[in-house]
Amino acid sequence: MDAAVEELGRLPDGTVDVPRQWQQVGWYAEGPRPGEAGPAVLLGHVDSKAGPAVFYRLRELRPGDRVEVVTATGAALGFVVRRVARYPKDEFPTDEVYLPTLRREVRLVTCGGTFDRGSGHYRDNVIAFAEAA
Amino acid sequence: MSHPLSTHAPAAAGPRVQTTAVELRSGLQMLLGEHVRLTVVLMRERIAGVDERTQATVVSVDRNADELSAVIGELYGKDAAASFGQLWAAHVRQLQDYAAGLVDRDEAAKQQARSRLQVTEGDIGRLLSSAVQAALTPEQVEDAIRMHVDTLLAQADAYAAKDWTRAYEVGRECFSHMLMTADVLAGPIAASQGLPVTELQAPRRLLQSALSRLLAEHMGLMVEAMRAAADRAPELQAATTTLNANTSELATAMRALYGDIAARRFLQVWAGHVEGLVAYATATAGGDEGARSSSGEALDRFAGEIGAFLSTATDGRLPAAELTAAVTAHDRDLTSLTDAWAAKDFSRAQELSASGYRHMFTLAETLAEAVGDEVAAGLPRGGAQTGGGGTVGES
């Protein structure tokens, strides 16, 4: 899949904002950019009520798969997936995802697990951890 | 227990019973990294013919080897410690034989030392592989030690050829590779002791490991640059260039943690710290009391600025006054060892160098914890609402 990237911040309740559009990827702009030292966090929806969204197949990623981020200047940055894991949102691994590292890394975040019809949200997040190729 | 920022107490403690995988990794990084910095110095002293310092360096190399054997003993018992000690002593002796071959321009002696080093690499590989119950194959350990030996010999070749730039660049590679090797060994060794290993990959502990490498390397390179300045040696330029590469990497770490503006500020105060120390060594060698005194004042000023910077960066989790005192203690280690060189008290110089180097590991641990807490306080909370349809249907 191939998607455009928008900038995201935090919401007033301290949670991370998410992309406005189902087919768009969001970059958490208070963290590093892809290609800089540290974990660049990219978020995308798994689905909408109408069907699959941009990160619908994120959970299919496997260690060794490649992810490419193309910057505004057209440079293609390659990353290799190290692991993909699912976490309940109330046990979200904030340190693992956001805490700065000194390596060039990206995290791809979407939803997964069971859907809570009461809240209208999935209970889990699926996260792919990737490092510069 | 001493305060984490206090200077010398933890450093003087030497090897101790390792109770967590993270402590084990940090201890291995400290001792194996120290082995690299000491053998690099020893080989260079042999090549340069600086006999008056060499005895003190040999004592330190042996002390480091004894401490490594003691760690092996704590982990795997007396017999393993004795076997390891013999192999490690052979490794150190063969490195010196190689340096002697370089001095004598004796290709056969160099080749013989290289061949013997390779045999020892295999023996150490088998010993450690068996100790970790084959969690690492003998070949994996041997490859790591071979890379260590190859880089040590390559820096010695470059040093003998007066290619200072290459000698320092490869020396840096050698240090960095050894700390990575310590990291690779720590997991299987910890697992062989039944210690939980997941904490090794925790972001704060990875930050601690990365800061340990950068700060310990800073200390080692600082000693080398000040020694070159004190000796008015032609390698001073290469030593300071390498030191600047380390500073630049530290600034990259600050950028990752706190962004561009903080990184630029850090670079400014840290460069002042480095330049002040080299200026002190130069002034001491030249007997210029005025310059010694003004560089001392500059060092105190930069220590205050680094303390203030790190205290702000950790949102006051580490008090500025204590950080300033820690940087000042680090400066004192380095200025006192310059004074010890001038007084030809080389044992004292080695002691200061070792305690200053070891202190960097304690500082890295303290900083990683405080930095982690401060940065974590500003991170997004909870998960991301990145789904709206309920079409995935996983259970």
Side-chain angles (χ1 to χ4, degrees), chain B residues 40-83:
Chain B
V40 163
V41 168
L42 181 57
M43 293 178 88
R44 289 180 184 177
E45 285 177 354
R46 295 271 189 228
I47 293 164
V50 192
D51 294 336
E52 59 179 11
R53 288 197 196 117
T54 305
Q55 186 49 41
T57 311
V58 168
V59 169
S60 295
V61 171
D62 290 347
R63 189 257 310 137
N64 168 271
D66 288 346
E67 291 184 24
L68 271 169
S69 298
V71 170
I72 297 290
E74 282 178 32
L75 295 166
Y76 301 113
K78 268 199 305 195
D79 290 349
S83 305

mmCIF file of all heavy atoms in Angstrom, chain B residues 40-83:
data_model
loop_
_atom_site.group_PDB
_atom_site.id
_atom_site.type_symbol
_atom_site.label_atom_id
_atom_site.label_comp_id
_atom_site.label_asym_id
_atom_site.label_seq_id
_atom_site.Cartn_x
_atom_site.Cartn_y
_atom_site.Cartn_z
ATOM 1 N N VAL B 40 44.892 -0.592 23.631
ATOM 2 C CA VAL B 40 45.238 0.389 22.587
ATOM 3 C C VAL B 40 46.388 1.256 23.089
ATOM 4 O O VAL B 40 47.397 1.452 22.396
ATOM 5 C CB VAL B 40 44.004 1.263 22.210
ATOM 6 C CG1 VAL B 40 44.440 2.513 21.456
ATOM 7 C CG2 VAL B 40 43.017 0.455 21.376
ATOM 8 N N VAL B 41 46.264 1.758 24.318
ATOM 9 C CA VAL B 41 47.312 2.614 24.887
ATOM 10 C C VAL B 41 48.623 1.832 25.021
ATOM 11 O O VAL B 41 49.696 2.317 24.644
ATOM 12 C CB VAL B 41 46.864 3.174 26.262
ATOM 13 C CG1 VAL B 41 48.036 3.817 27.002
ATOM 14 C CG2 VAL B 41 45.740 4.179 26.081
ATOM 15 N N LEU B 42 48.507 0.596 25.514
ATOM 16 C CA LEU B 42 49.713 -0.211 25.723
ATOM 17 C C LEU B 42 50.447 -0.447 24.401
ATOM 18 O O LEU B 42 51.675 -0.275 24.316
ATOM 19 C CB LEU B 42 49.329 -1.550 26.373
ATOM 20 C CG LEU B 42 50.470 -2.510 26.688
ATOM 21 C CD1 LEU B 42 51.503 -1.864 27.599
ATOM 22 C CD2 LEU B 42 49.934 -3.782 27.340
ATOM 23 N N MET B 43 49.694 -0.828 23.367
ATOM 24 C CA MET B 43 50.339 -1.085 22.073
ATOM 25 C C MET B 43 50.978 0.195 21.528
ATOM 26 O O MET B 43 52.081 0.180 20.989
ATOM 27 C CB MET B 43 49.322 -1.654 21.074
ATOM 28 C CG MET B 43 48.830 -3.049 21.453
ATOM 29 S SD MET B 43 47.579 -3.679 20.300
ATOM 30 C CE MET B 43 48.614 -4.450 19.059
ATOM 31 N N ARG B 44 50.283 1.316 21.695
ATOM 32 C CA ARG B 44 50.840 2.573 21.189
ATOM 33 C C ARG B 44 52.075 2.989 21.974
ATOM 34 O O ARG B 44 53.035 3.507 21.393
ATOM 35 C CB ARG B 44 49.769 3.679 21.247
ATOM 36 C CG ARG B 44 48.683 3.459 20.212
ATOM 37 C CD ARG B 44 47.632 4.540 20.274
ATOM 38 N NE ARG B 44 46.562 4.240 19.330
ATOM 39 C CZ ARG B 44 45.468 4.968 19.201
ATOM 40 N NH1 ARG B 44 45.291 6.043 19.949
ATOM 41 N NH2 ARG B 44 44.543 4.630 18.317
ATOM 42 N N GLU B 45 52.056 2.748 23.286
ATOM 43 C CA GLU B 45 53.250 3.082 24.078
ATOM 44 C C GLU B 45 54.430 2.221 23.669
ATOM 45 O O GLU B 45 55.568 2.693 23.587
ATOM 46 C CB GLU B 45 52.953 2.909 25.577
ATOM 47 C CG GLU B 45 52.086 4.043 26.116
ATOM 48 C CD GLU B 45 51.700 3.874 27.579
ATOM 49 O OE1 GLU B 45 51.999 2.813 28.174
ATOM 50 O OE2 GLU B 45 51.081 4.806 28.123
ATOM 51 N N ARG B 46 54.157 0.950 23.394
ATOM 52 C CA ARG B 46 55.232 0.066 22.917
ATOM 53 C C ARG B 46 55.797 0.595 21.590
ATOM 54 O O ARG B 46 57.006 0.615 21.388
ATOM 55 C CB ARG B 46 54.711 -1.350 22.689
ATOM 56 C CG ARG B 46 54.255 -2.060 23.952
ATOM 57 C CD ARG B 46 55.414 -2.797 24.606
ATOM 58 N NE ARG B 46 54.972 -3.653 25.682
ATOM 59 C CZ ARG B 46 55.529 -3.698 26.894
ATOM 60 N NH1 ARG B 46 56.559 -2.913 27.171
ATOM 61 N NH2 ARG B 46 55.095 -4.511 27.812
ATOM 62 N N ILE B 47 54.884 0.975 20.710
ATOM 63 C CA ILE B 47 55.316 1.430 19.388
ATOM 64 C C ILE B 47 56.097 2.744 19.501
ATOM 65 O O ILE B 47 57.135 2.930 18.867
ATOM 66 C CB ILE B 47 54.088 1.590 18.446
ATOM 67 C CG1 ILE B 47 53.479 0.208 18.160
ATOM 68 C CG2 ILE B 47 54.471 2.295 17.150
ATOM 69 C CD1 ILE B 47 52.086 0.255 17.575
ATOM 70 N N ALA B 48 55.595 3.653 20.341
ATOM 71 C CA ALA B 48 56.241 4.960 20.467
ATOM 72 C C ALA B 48 57.476 4.900 21.372
ATOM 73 O O ALA B 48 58.247 5.853 21.436
ATOM 74 C CB ALA B 48 55.236 5.978 21.009
ATOM 75 N N GLY B 49 57.625 3.781 22.089
ATOM 76 C CA GLY B 49 58.774 3.634 22.983
ATOM 77 C C GLY B 49 58.680 4.508 24.225
ATOM 78 O O GLY B 49 59.690 5.018 24.705
ATOM 79 N N VAL B 50 57.441 4.702 24.733
ATOM 80 C CA VAL B 50 57.259 5.530 25.936
ATOM 81 C C VAL B 50 57.386 4.620 27.165
ATOM 82 O O VAL B 50 56.415 4.298 27.820
ATOM 83 C CB VAL B 50 55.864 6.205 25.945
ATOM 84 C CG1 VAL B 50 55.808 7.284 27.019
ATOM 85 C CG2 VAL B 50 55.535 6.792 24.599
ATOM 86 N N ASP B 51 58.594 4.214 27.460
ATOM 87 C CA ASP B 51 58.792 3.208 28.497
ATOM 88 C C ASP B 51 58.354 3.658 29.890
ATOM 89 O O ASP B 51 57.885 2.865 30.684
ATOM 90 C CB ASP B 51 60.275 2.800 28.550
ATOM 91 C CG ASP B 51 60.673 2.095 27.279
ATOM 92 O OD1 ASP B 51 59.765 1.549 26.620
ATOM 93 O OD2 ASP B 51 61.866 2.105 26.930
ATOM 94 N N GLU B 52 58.530 4.945 30.181
ATOM 95 C CA GLU B 52 58.279 5.376 31.566
ATOM 96 C C GLU B 52 56.823 5.218 31.980
ATOM 97 O O GLU B 52 56.530 5.049 33.156
ATOM 98 C CB GLU B 52 58.752 6.821 31.771
ATOM 99 C CG GLU B 52 58.081 7.823 30.855
ATOM 100 C CD GLU B 52 58.571 9.244 31.118
ATOM 101 O OE1 GLU B 52 59.563 9.412 31.852
ATOM 102 O OE2 GLU B 52 57.940 10.179 30.601
ATOM 103 N N ARG B 53 55.908 5.241 31.026
ATOM 104 C CA ARG B 53 54.495 5.085 31.397
ATOM 105 C C ARG B 53 54.030 3.629 31.326
ATOM 106 O O ARG B 53 53.005 3.272 31.881
ATOM 107 C CB ARG B 53 53.607 5.865 30.407
ATOM 108 C CG ARG B 53 53.704 7.342 30.573
ATOM 109 C CD ARG B 53 52.517 7.996 29.873
ATOM 110 N NE ARG B 53 52.829 9.391 29.708
ATOM 111 C CZ ARG B 53 52.965 10.002 28.544
ATOM 112 N NH1 ARG B 53 52.760 9.351 27.426
ATOM 113 N NH2 ARG B 53 53.266 11.261 28.493
ATOM 114 N N THR B 54 54.770 2.840 30.570
ATOM 115 C CA THR B 54 54.263 1.516 30.208
ATOM 116 C C THR B 54 54.033 0.604 31.404
ATOM 117 O O THR B 54 53.062 -0.142 31.427
ATOM 118 C CB THR B 54 55.217 0.853 29.190
ATOM 119 O OG1 THR B 54 55.340 1.766 28.106
ATOM 120 C CG2 THR B 54 54.678 -0.456 28.678
ATOM 121 N N GLN B 55 54.906 0.695 32.412
ATOM 122 C CA GLN B 55 54.756 -0.187 33.560
ATOM 123 C C GLN B 55 53.377 0.004 34.213
ATOM 124 O O GLN B 55 52.677 -0.960 34.526
ATOM 125 C CB GLN B 55 55.890 0.074 34.571
ATOM 126 C CG GLN B 55 55.905 -0.903 35.740
ATOM 127 C CD GLN B 55 55.804 -2.377 35.284
ATOM 128 O OE1 GLN B 55 56.421 -2.779 34.292
ATOM 129 N NE2 GLN B 55 55.000 -3.158 35.989
ATOM 130 N N ALA B 56 52.988 1.280 34.374
ATOM 131 C CA ALA B 56 51.682 1.574 34.992
ATOM 132 C C ALA B 56 50.545 1.075 34.101
ATOM 133 O O ALA B 56 49.518 0.588 34.591
ATOM 134 C CB ALA B 56 51.550 3.065 35.244
ATOM 135 N N THR B 57 50.733 1.165 32.790
ATOM 136 C CA THR B 57 49.690 0.688 31.874
ATOM 137 C C THR B 57 49.558 -0.834 31.991
ATOM 138 O O THR B 57 48.445 -1.365 32.029
ATOM 139 C CB THR B 57 50.025 1.077 30.411
ATOM 140 O OG1 THR B 57 50.355 2.463 30.380
ATOM 141 C CG2 THR B 57 48.854 0.825 29.489
ATOM 142 N N VAL B 58 50.705 -1.523 32.052
ATOM 143 C CA VAL B 58 50.681 -2.987 32.176
ATOM 144 C C VAL B 58 49.948 -3.399 33.453
ATOM 145 O O VAL B 58 49.123 -4.324 33.440
ATOM 146 C CB VAL B 58 52.125 -3.569 32.167
ATOM 147 C CG1 VAL B 58 52.127 -5.034 32.575
ATOM 148 C CG2 VAL B 58 52.752 -3.402 30.790
ATOM 149 N N VAL B 59 50.207 -2.690 34.548
ATOM 150 C CA VAL B 59 49.539 -2.998 35.817
ATOM 151 C C VAL B 59 48.023 -2.863 35.634
ATOM 152 O O VAL B 59 47.245 -3.715 36.084
ATOM 153 C CB VAL B 59 50.038 -2.053 36.950
ATOM 154 C CG1 VAL B 59 49.170 -2.171 38.196
ATOM 155 C CG2 VAL B 59 51.499 -2.360 37.278
ATOM 156 N N SER B 60 47.597 -1.811 34.945
ATOM 157 C CA SER B 60 46.152 -1.613 34.727
ATOM 158 C C SER B 60 45.557 -2.695 33.833
ATOM 159 O O SER B 60 44.445 -3.170 34.066
ATOM 160 C CB SER B 60 45.886 -0.244 34.090
ATOM 161 O OG SER B 60 46.255 0.751 34.987
ATOM 162 N N VAL B 61 46.290 -3.064 32.774
ATOM 163 C CA VAL B 61 45.806 -4.127 31.876
ATOM 164 C C VAL B 61 45.630 -5.423 32.667
ATOM 165 O O VAL B 61 44.613 -6.110 32.536
ATOM 166 C CB VAL B 61 46.790 -4.340 30.690
ATOM 167 C CG1 VAL B 61 46.415 -5.578 29.895
ATOM 168 C CG2 VAL B 61 46.806 -3.130 29.774
ATOM 169 N N ASP B 62 46.594 -5.722 33.536
ATOM 170 C CA ASP B 62 46.515 -6.958 34.334
ATOM 171 C C ASP B 62 45.369 -6.885 35.345
ATOM 172 O O ASP B 62 44.669 -7.870 35.574
ATOM 173 C CB ASP B 62 47.850 -7.206 35.066
ATOM 174 C CG ASP B 62 48.960 -7.589 34.097
ATOM 175 O OD1 ASP B 62 48.635 -7.898 32.929
ATOM 176 O OD2 ASP B 62 50.137 -7.554 34.480
ATOM 177 N N ARG B 63 45.212 -5.727 35.949
ATOM 178 C CA ARG B 63 44.122 -5.556 36.922
ATOM 179 C C ARG B 63 42.770 -5.754 36.228
ATOM 180 O O ARG B 63 41.871 -6.440 36.721
ATOM 181 C CB ARG B 63 44.220 -4.149 37.537
ATOM 182 C CG ARG B 63 43.304 -3.879 38.720
ATOM 183 C CD ARG B 63 42.092 -3.027 38.350
ATOM 184 N NE ARG B 63 42.470 -1.832 37.620
ATOM 185 C CZ ARG B 63 41.817 -1.381 36.563
ATOM 186 N NH1 ARG B 63 40.765 -2.033 36.098
ATOM 187 N NH2 ARG B 63 42.208 -0.286 35.948
ATOM 188 N N ASN B 64 42.640 -5.187 35.031
ATOM 189 C CA ASN B 64 41.403 -5.348 34.257
ATOM 190 C C ASN B 64 41.176 -6.832 33.926
ATOM 191 O O ASN B 64 40.048 -7.346 34.051
ATOM 192 C CB ASN B 64 41.490 -4.498 32.978
ATOM 193 C CG ASN B 64 40.393 -4.811 31.981
ATOM 194 O OD1 ASN B 64 40.545 -5.677 31.130
ATOM 195 N ND2 ASN B 64 39.273 -4.122 32.098
ATOM 196 N N ALA B 65 42.259 -7.537 33.536
ATOM 197 C CA ALA B 65 42.136 -8.968 33.209
ATOM 198 C C ALA B 65 41.711 -9.761 34.443
ATOM 199 O O ALA B 65 40.865 -10.657 34.361
ATOM 200 C CB ALA B 65 43.468 -9.486 32.663
ATOM 201 N N ASP B 66 42.269 -9.398 35.599
ATOM 202 C CA ASP B 66 41.890 -10.088 36.839
ATOM 203 C C ASP B 66 40.405 -9.863 37.148
ATOM 204 O O ASP B 66 39.711 -10.773 37.601
ATOM 205 C CB ASP B 66 42.721 -9.562 38.023
ATOM 206 C CG ASP B 66 44.172 -10.036 37.936
ATOM 207 O OD1 ASP B 66 44.440 -10.954 37.138
ATOM 208 O OD2 ASP B 66 45.020 -9.468 38.647
ATOM 209 N N GLU B 67 39.950 -8.647 36.913
ATOM 210 C CA GLU B 67 38.542 -8.357 37.199
ATOM 211 C C GLU B 67 37.612 -9.110 36.239
ATOM 212 O O GLU B 67 36.551 -9.591 36.637
ATOM 213 C CB GLU B 67 38.288 -6.848 37.136
ATOM 214 C CG GLU B 67 38.966 -6.114 38.289
ATOM 215 C CD GLU B 67 38.666 -4.638 38.326
ATOM 216 O OE1 GLU B 67 37.616 -4.231 37.793
ATOM 217 O OE2 GLU B 67 39.481 -3.896 38.883
ATOM 218 N N LEU B 68 38.033 -9.204 34.979
ATOM 219 C CA LEU B 68 37.227 -9.979 34.022
ATOM 220 C C LEU B 68 37.171 -11.447 34.457
ATOM 221 O O LEU B 68 36.104 -12.065 34.442
ATOM 222 C CB LEU B 68 37.831 -9.893 32.618
ATOM 223 C CG LEU B 68 37.365 -8.737 31.743
ATOM 224 C CD1 LEU B 68 38.242 -8.628 30.503
ATOM 225 C CD2 LEU B 68 35.902 -8.921 31.319
ATOM 226 N N SER B 69 38.310 -11.984 34.871
ATOM 227 C CA SER B 69 38.344 -13.378 35.333
ATOM 228 C C SER B 69 37.467 -13.544 36.567
ATOM 229 O O SER B 69 36.789 -14.572 36.725
ATOM 230 C CB SER B 69 39.773 -13.803 35.682
ATOM 231 O OG SER B 69 40.573 -13.741 34.543
ATOM 232 N N ALA B 70 37.491 -12.526 37.437
ATOM 233 C CA ALA B 70 36.669 -12.610 38.656
ATOM 234 C C ALA B 70 35.183 -12.665 38.295
ATOM 235 O O ALA B 70 34.409 -13.397 38.928
ATOM 236 C CB ALA B 70 36.960 -11.417 39.558
ATOM 237 N N VAL B 71 34.791 -11.914 37.280
ATOM 238 C CA VAL B 71 33.382 -11.955 36.847
ATOM 239 C C VAL B 71 33.048 -13.357 36.329
ATOM 240 O O VAL B 71 32.016 -13.941 36.679
ATOM 241 C CB VAL B 71 33.091 -10.880 35.767
ATOM 242 C CG1 VAL B 71 31.715 -11.077 35.159
ATOM 243 C CG2 VAL B 71 33.203 -9.489 36.374
ATOM 244 N N ILE B 72 33.949 -13.899 35.498
ATOM 245 C CA ILE B 72 33.729 -15.263 34.982
ATOM 246 C C ILE B 72 33.638 -16.242 36.162
ATOM 247 O O ILE B 72 32.809 -17.153 36.186
ATOM 248 C CB ILE B 72 34.871 -15.681 34.015
ATOM 249 C CG1 ILE B 72 34.895 -14.769 32.794
ATOM 250 C CG2 ILE B 72 34.766 -17.149 33.608
ATOM 251 C CD1 ILE B 72 33.745 -14.923 31.840
ATOM 252 N N GLY B 73 34.502 -16.024 37.168
ATOM 253 C CA GLY B 73 34.489 -16.884 38.356
ATOM 254 C C GLY B 73 33.167 -16.804 39.094
ATOM 255 O O GLY B 73 32.621 -17.828 39.510
ATOM 256 N N GLU B 74 32.653 -15.581 39.257
ATOM 257 C CA GLU B 74 31.360 -15.418 39.942
ATOM 258 C C GLU B 74 30.254 -16.138 39.183
ATOM 259 O O GLU B 74 29.341 -16.706 39.775
ATOM 260 C CB GLU B 74 30.977 -13.936 40.005
ATOM 261 C CG GLU B 74 31.697 -13.138 41.070
ATOM 262 C CD GLU B 74 31.273 -11.677 41.020
ATOM 263 O OE1 GLU B 74 30.108 -11.408 40.655
ATOM 264 O OE2 GLU B 74 32.106 -10.828 41.323
ATOM 265 N N LEU B 75 30.364 -16.104 37.856
ATOM 266 C CA LEU B 75 29.300 -16.679 37.034
ATOM 267 C C LEU B 75 29.443 -18.193 36.889
ATOM 268 O O LEU B 75 28.465 -18.922 36.990
ATOM 269 C CB LEU B 75 29.303 -16.041 35.645
ATOM 270 C CG LEU B 75 28.971 -14.546 35.580
ATOM 271 C CD1 LEU B 75 29.350 -13.988 34.203
ATOM 272 C CD2 LEU B 75 27.483 -14.323 35.835
ATOM 273 N N TYR B 76 30.667 -18.646 36.640
ATOM 274 C CA TYR B 76 30.834 -20.043 36.229
ATOM 275 C C TYR B 76 31.814 -20.852 37.091
ATOM 276 O O TYR B 76 32.140 -21.982 36.748
ATOM 277 C CB TYR B 76 31.268 -20.099 34.758
ATOM 278 C CG TYR B 76 30.259 -19.437 33.841
ATOM 279 C CD1 TYR B 76 30.570 -18.270 33.159
ATOM 280 C CD2 TYR B 76 28.979 -19.979 33.703
ATOM 281 C CE1 TYR B 76 29.631 -17.663 32.333
ATOM 282 C CE2 TYR B 76 28.043 -19.369 32.891
ATOM 283 C CZ TYR B 76 28.367 -18.212 32.208
ATOM 284 O OH TYR B 76 27.440 -17.612 31.406
ATOM 285 N N GLY B 77 32.316 -20.231 38.143
ATOM 286 C CA GLY B 77 33.165 -20.988 39.054
ATOM 287 C C GLY B 77 34.663 -20.795 38.822
ATOM 288 O O GLY B 77 35.082 -20.208 37.821
ATOM 289 N N LYS B 78 35.433 -21.331 39.775
ATOM 290 C CA LYS B 78 36.886 -21.105 39.820
ATOM 291 C C LYS B 78 37.626 -21.660 38.607
ATOM 292 O O LYS B 78 38.529 -21.031 38.074
ATOM 293 C CB LYS B 78 37.458 -21.767 41.086
ATOM 294 C CG LYS B 78 37.511 -20.822 42.271
ATOM 295 C CD LYS B 78 38.474 -21.331 43.348
ATOM 296 C CE LYS B 78 38.124 -22.736 43.794
ATOM 297 N NZ LYS B 78 38.748 -23.171 45.015
ATOM 298 N N ASP B 79 37.204 -22.871 38.176
ATOM 299 C CA ASP B 79 37.940 -23.493 37.065
ATOM 300 C C ASP B 79 37.791 -22.677 35.789
ATOM 301 O O ASP B 79 38.753 -22.453 35.048
ATOM 302 C CB ASP B 79 37.434 -24.921 36.825
ATOM 303 C CG ASP B 79 37.842 -25.844 37.973
ATOM 304 O OD1 ASP B 79 38.671 -25.402 38.800
ATOM 305 O OD2 ASP B 79 37.316 -26.972 38.043
ATOM 306 N N ALA B 80 36.544 -22.226 35.559
ATOM 307 C CA ALA B 80 36.296 -21.413 34.363
ATOM 308 C C ALA B 80 37.095 -20.122 34.448
ATOM 309 O O ALA B 80 37.674 -19.668 33.449
ATOM 310 C CB ALA B 80 34.798 -21.106 34.227
ATOM 311 N N ALA B 81 37.157 -19.526 35.644
ATOM 312 C CA ALA B 81 37.900 -18.274 35.815
ATOM 313 C C ALA B 81 39.377 -18.493 35.514
ATOM 314 O O ALA B 81 40.014 -17.670 34.846
ATOM 315 C CB ALA B 81 37.723 -17.753 37.240
ATOM 316 N N ALA B 82 39.912 -19.634 35.990
ATOM 317 C CA ALA B 82 41.332 -19.904 35.771
ATOM 318 C C ALA B 82 41.613 -20.110 34.283
ATOM 319 O O ALA B 82 42.582 -19.562 33.738
ATOM 320 C CB ALA B 82 41.748 -21.137 36.570
ATOM 321 N N SER B 83 40.735 -20.870 33.601
ATOM 322 C CA SER B 83 40.935 -21.097 32.154
ATOM 323 C C SER B 83 40.838 -19.785 31.394
ATOM 324 O O SER B 83 41.666 -19.476 30.529
ATOM 325 C CB SER B 83 39.875 -22.046 31.598
ATOM 326 O OG SER B 83 39.876 -23.228 32.325
#
